[in-house]
Amino acid sequence: MPIFTYKGLDSTGKTVSGELDTAERRIAVQKLTAMGIKPIAITSRDAAIAPTGATIRGSSITSEDIQGEDFFKQKGGKSGGFSFIPRRKASGKSTALALQKQILMLLSAGFPLGDALRLLSVRLTDPTLKLLCTNFWKKLSEGSTLSAAFATAPELFDASTIHLIEAGEASGNLIPILERNVAFLEENIENRRRILSGLAYPVFVCFIALGVILAFGVFFLPIIQKMLKSLGGEPSLLVTVVVNSLRAFVYASPFLLVGGIVLTVGLVSYRKTTAGRALTDYWTLRLPALGRITLFSNIFQTSSLMSTLMASGVNTTETLRLVERTIGNVHLKAKFAAARKQIQEGVSMATAISRVKYMPDLAMDILTVGENTGSIVNSLREINKIYRAELTKTINFMTNTITFVALGSAFGFVALIAYIIVTSIFDVSKALQH
């Protein structure tokens, strides 16, 4: 009879492991559930055939298991509810998001984590995602956790995501944590898309306007000046100033371009240092629109994670410790850490967070009411809902403002050029009359 090794969480949230002598993996899952253990990974000692023909130990899914859509019906999933083929080849954050969505879909369908990764490593067609799943499955079969496996790919999974997954594994609530993180990442990508799409048109218009202005100032205005001089006339002061300014800009543009590149590279390098990260994070919070976006994004993320962990039965101390590790801005992280220490000393959560001014007054009022009524989880969810809407509103305001300023500037320059053209024509006409 096959022997299955398992890794799971007991009723206290402690990680346990062992072996079961059963006929099928399904029976092993039933036995573990009866024992009060939530399985994370169940693997067979018998070898399974990998998709490339190599032999890999630790899989409980055979080549027959993964043939056709009957596989999903046998496992309790929906054949039409999951796609093994990504729509496009992704990279960076979109790759991390795509992988987490694939894992979440299988976990929600009832698959243990190890089986989900093993299946994805077989069925995915995207080479990047396929390789990631294969490597992560091997890590899990060696006894590693999913968060530790994600940590081996820091170029894809940032510290915030890794700590979130760690919190989900520690509390035995990986699925709701993944759902929250996927929703957060999707919203970030959507916000970035809205900002870029909102800025695309005004930037395009500004480039066209700048090209017209440069072409007119560098080529056509000098011709008008020469005509006026040959006819005995003098160009107006405005024409002279515009022509000289545009010439100076053209001559200085290579130096401005090189200076911009050097400044950008230097700023990125400086931000990688401890002092640079602290300084740039400090000034980011003080920029009018970007500071509000950073603050609301952090409140949205921390309130979401806190409500999820506390609703899952994780104690307040552990919740705060895990949430603190997910905060990216060092100044906000320091404030949250100061509040956490006060809470550990017996200060109420609302009072401690209010003292360090981590959240705005509205959020603190909601949190205070929740703490007084014993429904702090509901209060955190309400805060999450409010500042999600505030984040969307702020992003829309920023993109609309930039669009208005950019288009206004472009039309202003075009109007200036049109005025110069008209006055130059009048100057030429006067010169011809004399």
Side-chain angles (χ1 to χ4, degrees):
M1 187 174 291
I3 297 178
F4 292 89
T5 60
Y6 67 86
K7 183 177 181 181
L9 298 170
D10 60 15
S11 58
T12 64
K14 183 179 179 181
T15 302
V16 294
S17 59
E19 295 183 350
L20 289 174
D21 190 2
T22 60
E24 298 179 7
R25 184 188 61 81
R26 176 177 55 83
I27 299 176
V29 173
Q30 293 174 353
K31 286 187 176 182
L32 289 175
T33 304
M35 294 165 58
I37 297 175
K38 185 173 183 178
I40 298 176
I42 301 176
T43 57
S44 171
R45 284 187 175 183
D46 298 331
I49 299 176
T52 57
T55 299
I56 300 177
R57 293 189 176 273
S59 173
S60 61
I61 302 176
T62 65
S63 57
E64 291 79 9
D65 286 330
I66 57 177
Q67 299 299 321
E69 294 189 350
D70 290 340
F71 172 77
F72 292 98
K73 298 176 182 177
Q74 294 170 4
K75 299 298 181 181
K78 297 179 181 179
S79 61
F82 180 82
S83 173
F84 285 100
I85 305 175
R87 292 183 178 179
R88 61 183 178 84
K89 186 174 180 179
S91 60
K93 291 185 177 180
S94 56
T95 298
L97 174 60
L99 180 58
Q100 290 179 72
K101 289 176 70 174
Q102 305 282 40
I103 294 173
L104 176 60
M105 288 179 186
L106 284 182
L107 291 180
S108 300
F111 290 86
L113 179 59
D115 285 355
L117 287 172
R118 175 70 179 98
L119 180 59
L120 289 173
S121 70
V122 174
R123 295 295 293 273
L124 283 172
T125 58
D126 184 283
T128 302
L129 294 178
K130 191 181 186 74
L131 180 61
L132 283 172
C133 289
T134 301
N135 291 337
F136 292 164
W137 172 74
K138 289 181 180 178
K139 290 289 184 182
L140 260 69
S141 65
E142 294 169 358
S144 180
T145 61
L146 183 61
S147 57
F150 278 7
T152 61
E155 67 280 1
L156 296 178
F157 302 96
D158 55 20
S160 175
T161 295
I162 293 170
H163 294 321
L164 281 171
I165 301 302
E166 180 187 6
E169 291 177 309
S171 62
N173 293 279
L174 183 58
I175 291 178
I177 292 294
L178 271 174
E179 289 174 344
R180 296 281 186 176
N181 197 47
V182 165
F184 180 74
L185 292 176
E186 285 181 330
E187 182 144 359
N188 278 349
I189 292 175
E190 176 62 20
N191 289 337
R192 190 177 298 108
R193 186 198 64 79
R194 281 187 297 179
I195 292 174
L196 293 177
S197 62
L199 297 180
Y201 177 68
V203 168
F204 173 75
V205 171
C206 286
F207 270 109
I208 296 297
L210 182 61
V212 171
I213 292 169
L214 289 177
F216 183 80
V218 174
F219 298 106
F220 297 112
L221 278 183
I223 295 175
I224 294 176
Q225 283 183 311
K226 289 180 182 179
M227 289 177 59
L228 285 173
K229 288 183 179 180
S230 64
L231 295 172
E234 289 293 333
S236 64
L237 178 62
L238 180 60
V239 173
T240 303
V241 170
V242 170
V243 171
N244 292 336
S245 299
L246 290 174
R247 283 177 177 172
F249 177 76
V250 171
Y251 293 144
S253 57
F255 300 100
L256 294 175
L257 179 61
V258 173
I261 294 174
V262 171
L263 181 62
T264 302
V265 173
L267 184 62
V268 171
S269 301
Y270 179 62
R271 182 170 167 75
K272 292 180 179 179
T273 64
T274 303
R277 179 65 180 270
L279 184 62
T280 52
D281 281 356
Y282 174 82
W283 284 108
T284 296
L285 290 172
R286 272 140 188 83
L287 294 175
L290 190 59
R292 287 172 62 87
I293 291 174
T294 303
L295 176 61
F296 293 163
S297 178
N298 272 276
I299 294 175
F300 166 70
Q301 179 179 358
T302 54
S303 59
S304 174
L305 181 57
M306 286 173 67
S307 63
T308 301
L309 292 176
M310 295 180 74
S312 302
V314 181
N315 62 62
T316 303
T317 301
E318 184 67 9
T319 294
L320 296 174
R321 184 186 69 83
L322 292 171
V323 171
E324 180 186 329
R325 299 175 67 179
T326 67
I327 300 174
N329 187 285
V330 294
H331 284 275
L332 292 177
K333 187 172 186 176
K335 288 183 177 183
F336 194 90
R340 179 177 62 83
K341 291 179 181 178
Q342 294 183 34
I343 294 170
Q344 290 177 338
E345 294 170 357
V347 179
S348 69
M349 182 182 295
T351 302
I353 295 178
S354 178
R355 286 178 181 176
V356 300
K357 301 185 182 303
Y358 178 78
M359 292 183 179
D361 293 338
L362 175 61
M364 297 316 309
D365 292 338
I366 296 173
L367 191 61
T368 300
V369 171
E371 211 165 27
N372 292 337
T373 58
S375 58
I376 193 168
V377 173
N378 291 333
S379 295
L380 287 169
R381 288 172 178 168
E382 185 64 25
I383 291 172
N384 175 265
K385 180 181 177 181
I386 291 173
Y387 284 95
R388 180 178 183 177
E390 287 293 326
L391 178 62
T392 301
K393 187 189 300 183
T394 304
I395 290 175
N396 290 337
F397 174 78
M398 185 185 74
T399 54
N400 291 336
T401 301
I402 293 175
T403 299
F404 175 78
V405 171
L407 292 178
S409 301
F411 288 131
F413 282 126
V414 171
L416 176 63
I417 293 300
Y419 175 77
I420 292 174
I421 292 174
V422 173
T423 56
S424 299
I425 291 174
F426 278 120
D427 290 337
V428 172
S429 299
K430 290 179 181 179
L432 287 173
Q433 290 175 2
H434 293 297

